[in-house]
Structures are given as structure tokens and as C-alpha cells.
């Protein structure tokens, strides 16, 4: 193995008063990241381009040297599940959400409060698949948390919008109302496709709103998961650069789908189910499993693969929830486990290591931002004291990088 790329989702942040005006990276005790930083170089990266607020898929696609493709999200999500796809099948990313009613269509919560358990999501998915009748076959698959993949079988157009206005208008919130999926050209097939998806979404509310699972949730003071927000319509596997000599350790459907579509040998594990309402207990459990699994993948493939790609998702969530202490704690956990392993694994095997993020998710913004992300490149240079923080990265010798240049810059891509 020559190199390891680790993407810590949403790691970049801004100074936070809850952490004594430090960023989570600055506040975290990360001796192993400091060890790697000292023997390498720091820099900062605009994952897509300056001023652009990336979604995870856009950033990942860009960091792996590709141009952005608008229709990739649904396809990548669906390819990260066991749904079988053929060309022309329409795939969308879907979120369980809460709306007030179909008539008013106000979005109460885009993720049904993030409290939907795995068992609840599976029961609701079953109800959708069983009770909705359409003129075309479809499959809805609940994946992790509020997330799901939705596929309509047939020959569709992917030139349609989603039904969440947040994602339809340059990522700024213009409306808290659900929209309709709209055709984005005047082809008959785009109109037909939009009609099918809209008919499906309307029926989804009818099936979900008074479903016993949601009645029970209301009784417990929880938001009902009574609607789906969809986005990223795609009808074919995105044409992206191939990474045949890479292995990937992935567990989010999007990451699994991206790794598979990029030709990587993809290793994944089943995410621990969310059993009760305690989302953070589940995240810490998931992170522990992910770090352990990543170490196993690295060990197993040391002689078999040239490069490894590891994506850790959990750190993005406390950014969305404005929980800087949790973000700090997660970073410390990654340092204590995965980075501690790398500190012992990389030097004797002459393996280079890149640690970066797909975007910043500043806690105080509760959303992704256009701020550049910190980059650490360990290459076994003569030690010089450095700490892996946003501000030190701004002054680092790697300088400013655009996502698309990263792998070439560190020599992982010729
Ligand atoms: Zn992300
Ligand atoms: Zn995020």
C-alpha cells in the first residue's frame, strides 16, 4: 500500500464560543494527528471551488478528480444498496420528513427529528412498497436513519427537480414548503417522469400519515415520519474516474455506491441499528465500529491494494446540530483509534496519509459552508512541530488546493 485517504465528514469548522473560541479541531486533544502533521505538510482545500457550499456527494466526486454531475446522487445512493438497477431506472435519494399536511405542505422537519429508529423506518418502507399502487414498478429502501433510496423501474428522464426547495434554489432556504417535482426541459418523458414521482409522493403521505408507527410516535411526543423529500434524480451510473487499485471502507449507502461506481474494491459493514431515541449513542457506536472496521480493511489490504479510501460520516452530524463538544469528542475518538493505528502502520510501511474533510459543517451555522477544509499530508518528512487545525493549515506549505487537484498534488493520482 502506498497511500491512505481519510475523509472526516464535515470536519472543518469555525471558532466556537462553547469551546472557548476554538474550533473543534483546535480544542480536541489529538496527539496522533499532531504526530502525522509534524512529519508532513499542511494545506487548505476548497472541496469543489471557492464560494461553493458542497453536499457530501459533490465534494467526494470532485476530490476524486471528477467534474460535478447533477444527476449522480440518487444513482450513487441506490447503488450503495442491494437494489438492482438497469439503465433507464430512475433513482432518487429520499429522506423521511415531517410535513403538516399535503394541502399546506409546510415542512416541519426535513429528517423527522432524526429520531426514526431503524425498525420504524423498515416498517414504514414496507407499508410504502406494499400499499402504494402505481402504473410502474418501484422500490423504496430505508437505509440509515432518516435516509432512503427510491427507484422507479422503466425508461425515465432524469431531467426533473426534487421536491425540496432547499435543494432546488442554490442551497439557500427560500421556502419551508414542499414543492412538486418539475420537469427541467420540455421533453414529454420528463413531464411523465415528474408526474409519476409526484403521484407516488402524494400517496406516500396517505400511507404514512396515519400509520400506526406514526400514531405511536405522536403519542410519545415525536414527529411523525409522514412524507418523503426526494432529490438527485439519475437514470444511469455516473461516468466517473476509475480507481481499480484502490480499496474503500464505506458504510453510508452514498459512499458504498460512490466507491463501487469508481471501480474500487469496496468493503462495508452493517451500521448498528438506531434502537431508541438516543441518536448520539448510536453515532458513537457507529463511529467505533467504523474506526475498527477501517483498521481491519487497511491491515487486510496492505499488500493487496495501492491506495485506500476511508470515509467517516459521524462528525458531520454534531455540526448540523450545533454540538461542538460532541464534534470534539468524536475527533478525539478518531485520533485515539484510527490515527493511533496509522501512526504505527504508516511509517514502517512507507505509506503516505492524507486526512481531510469533504466540506466544513460549522456548528454555529448548523449547515455546510463554503469555508475551506484543513488538509494533512503525512509523507515521513523530517519532524517539525505542527498541529492539525484550520488556522495552521491556512499557513501550511501545501498551500491552497481545489478539491479536484488534491490526489495529483499528493501523488495518489498520476
Ligand atoms: Zn459530508
Ligand atoms: Zn452534512
Amino acid at each position: 500500500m502506498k497511500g491512505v485517504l481519510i475523509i472526516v465528514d464535515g470536519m472543518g469548522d469555525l471558532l466556537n464560543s462553547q469551546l472557548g473560541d476554538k474550533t473543534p479541531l483546535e480544542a480536541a486533544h489529538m496527539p496522533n494527528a499532531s504526530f502525522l502533521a509534524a512529519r508532513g505538510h499542511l494545506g487548505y482545500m476548497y472541496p469543489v471551488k471557492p464560494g461553493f457550499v458542497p453536499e457530501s456527494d459533490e465534494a467526494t466526486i470532485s476530490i476524486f478528480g471528477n467534474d460535478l454531475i447533477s444527476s449522480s446522487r440518487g444513482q450513487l445512493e441506490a447503488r450503495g444498496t442491494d437494489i438492482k438497477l438497469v439503465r433507464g431506472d430512475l433513482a432518487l435519494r429520499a429522506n423521511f420528513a415531517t410535513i403538516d399536511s399535503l394541502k399546506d405542505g409546510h415542512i416541519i422537519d426535513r429528517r423527522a427529528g432524526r429520531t426514526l429508529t431503524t425498525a420504524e423506518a423498515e416498517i414504514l418502507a414496507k407499508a410504502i412498497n406494499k400499499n402504494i399502487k402505481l402504473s410502474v414498478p418501484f422500490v423504496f429502501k430505508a437505509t440509515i436513519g432518516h435516509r432512503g433510496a427510491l427507484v422507479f423501474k422503466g425508461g425515465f428522464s432524469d431531467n426533473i427537480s426534487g421536491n425540496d426547495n432547499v435543494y432546488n434554489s442554490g442551497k439557500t432556504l427560500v421556502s419551508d414548503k414542499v414543492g412538486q417535482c418539475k420537469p427541467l426541459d420540455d421533453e414529454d418523458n420528463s413531464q411523465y417522469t415528474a408526474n409519476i414521482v409526484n403521484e407516488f409522493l402524494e400517496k406516500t403521505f396517505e400511507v404514512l400519515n396515519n400509520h400506526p408507527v406514526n400514531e405511536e410516535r405522536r403519542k410519545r411526543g415525536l414527529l411523525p415520519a409522514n412524507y418523503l423529500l426526494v432529490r438527485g434524480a439519475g437514470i444511469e451510473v455516473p461516468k466517473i474516474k476509475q480507481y481499480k487499485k484502490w480499496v474503500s471502507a464505506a458504510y453510508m449507502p452514498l459512499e458504498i455506491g460512490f466507491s463501487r461506481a469508481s471501480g474500487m474494491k469496496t468493503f462495508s459493514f452493517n451500521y448498528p441499528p438506531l434502537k431508541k431515541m438516543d441518536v448520539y449513542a448510536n453515532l458513537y457506536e457507529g463511529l467505533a465500529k467504523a474506526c475498527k472496521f477501517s483498521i481491519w480493511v487497511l491491515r487486510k489490504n496492505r499488500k493487496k491494494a495501492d491506495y485506500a479510501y476511508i470515509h467517516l460520516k459521524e462528525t458531520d452530524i454534531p455540526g448540523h446540530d450545533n454540538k461542538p463538544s460532541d464534534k470534539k469528542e468524536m475527533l478525539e475518538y478518531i485520533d485515539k483509534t484510527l490515527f493511533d493505528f496509522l501512526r504505527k502502520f504508516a511509517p514502517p510501511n512507507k505509506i503516505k496519509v492524507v486526512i481531510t474533510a469533504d466540506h466544513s459543517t460549522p456548528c454555529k451555522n448548523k449547515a455546510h459552508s463554503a469555508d475551506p477544509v484543513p488538509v494533512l499530508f503525512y509523507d515521513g518528512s523530517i519532524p517539525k512541530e505542527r498541529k492539525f487545525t484550520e488556522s495552521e493549515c491556512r499557513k501550511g506549505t501545501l498551500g491552497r488546493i481545489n478539491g479536484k487537484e488534491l490526489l495529483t498534488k499528493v501523488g495518489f493520482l498520476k
Side-chain angles (χ1 to χ4, degrees), residues 76-345:
L76 294 178
E77 294 271 357
R79 281 169 199 276
T81 71
D82 55 10
I83 301 175
K84 296 272 170 289
L85 291 163
V86 298
R87 201 169 183 283
D89 288 351
L90 179 75
L92 296 127
R93 156 70 187 257
N95 271 10
F96 277 107
T98 309
I99 61 169
D100 57 355
S101 68
L102 212 46
K103 194 165 130 276
D104 293 331
H106 287 112
I107 299 172
I108 313 292
D109 193 297
R110 293 198 148 67
R111 303 176 182 93
R114 246 193 232 285
T115 51
L116 196 64
T117 67
T118 308
E120 287 173 332
E122 277 167 7
I123 295 169
L124 294 179
K126 216 182 221 174
I128 289 173
N129 288 317
K130 190 169 160 238
N131 298 324
I132 295 182
K133 303 283 176 249
L134 286 182
S135 56
V136 298
F138 71 90
V139 192
F140 172 69
K141 177 129 190 146
T143 55
I144 295 182
H146 55 274
R147 304 169 186 86
L150 175 61
V151 172
F152 296 89
K153 310 294 283 177
F156 294 99
S157 158
D158 55 11
N159 214 4
I160 62 160
S161 74
N163 66 338
D164 184 350
N165 292 315
V166 153
Y167 292 100
N168 287 345
S169 53
K171 293 164 189 165
T172 42
L173 183 60
V174 289
S175 163
D176 70 338
K177 280 189 147 194
V178 288
Q180 293 255 310
C181 293
K182 293 191 190 80
L184 300 175
D185 58 32
D186 46 24
E187 296 291 321
D188 289 348
N189 196 17
S190 302
Q191 183 65 60
Y192 164 77
T193 303
N195 291 348
I196 295 269
V197 179
N198 287 328
E199 183 190 344
F200 169 84
L201 291 169
E202 212 178 300
K203 291 182 172 170
T204 298
F205 180 81
E206 289 159 14
V207 168
L208 295 181
N209 193 40
N210 297 317
H211 190 282
V213 162
N214 281 325
E215 294 296 359
E216 187 54 39
R217 284 176 64 81
R218 285 190 184 95
K219 268 187 219 153
R220 286 186 291 144
L222 298 172
L223 292 171
N226 61 6
Y227 199 58
L228 293 177
L229 295 175
V230 299
R231 58 188 153 119
I235 53 162
E236 59 189 333
V237 59
K239 290 179 191 66
I240 48 181
K241 275 202 163 79
Q242 295 299 297
Y243 290 85
K244 298 279 184 213
K245 290 178 174 170
W246 285 61
V247 290
S248 152
Y251 49 101
M252 298 301 289
L254 171 65
E255 292 307 324
I256 298 171
F258 172 79
S259 304
R260 286 177 180 163
S262 297
M264 298 179 197
K265 183 160 191 204
T266 308
F267 295 84
S268 60
F269 64 86
N270 289 328
Y271 206 72
L274 174 59
K275 289 187 192 114
K276 288 190 242 79
M277 266 185 289
D278 196 346
V279 180
Y280 275 75
N282 179 247
L283 285 175
Y284 283 109
E285 193 188 347
L287 181 61
K289 206 167 170 184
C291 289
K292 201 171 163 194
F293 181 76
S294 302
I295 293 170
W296 177 81
V297 169
L298 290 174
R299 274 215 184 96
K300 183 178 160 75
N301 290 287
R302 181 171 68 83
K303 290 190 180 152
K304 292 183 196 149
D306 281 357
Y307 296 96
Y309 165 48
I310 290 166
H311 185 107
L312 300 173
K313 173 66 189 173
E314 288 74 10
T315 39
D316 182 48
I317 317 296
H320 285 283
D321 294 345
N322 189 18
K323 293 190 172 201
S325 302
D326 280 296
K327 190 160 173 181
K328 167 179 169 271
E329 198 175 323
M330 286 179 187
L331 292 170
E332 288 176 341
Y333 184 83
I334 296 169
D335 192 80
K336 210 165 62 184
T337 53
L338 179 58
F339 295 172
D340 176 64
F341 168 77
L342 286 168
R343 173 184 183 156
K344 294 162 194 153
F345 180 71

Side-chain angles (χ1 to χ4, degrees), residues 392-404:
E392 286 207 29
C393 283
R394 287 272 195 160
K395 295 177 273 178
T397 46
L398 271 184
R400 178 183 139 166
I401 306 161
N402 277 330
K404 228 178 138 178

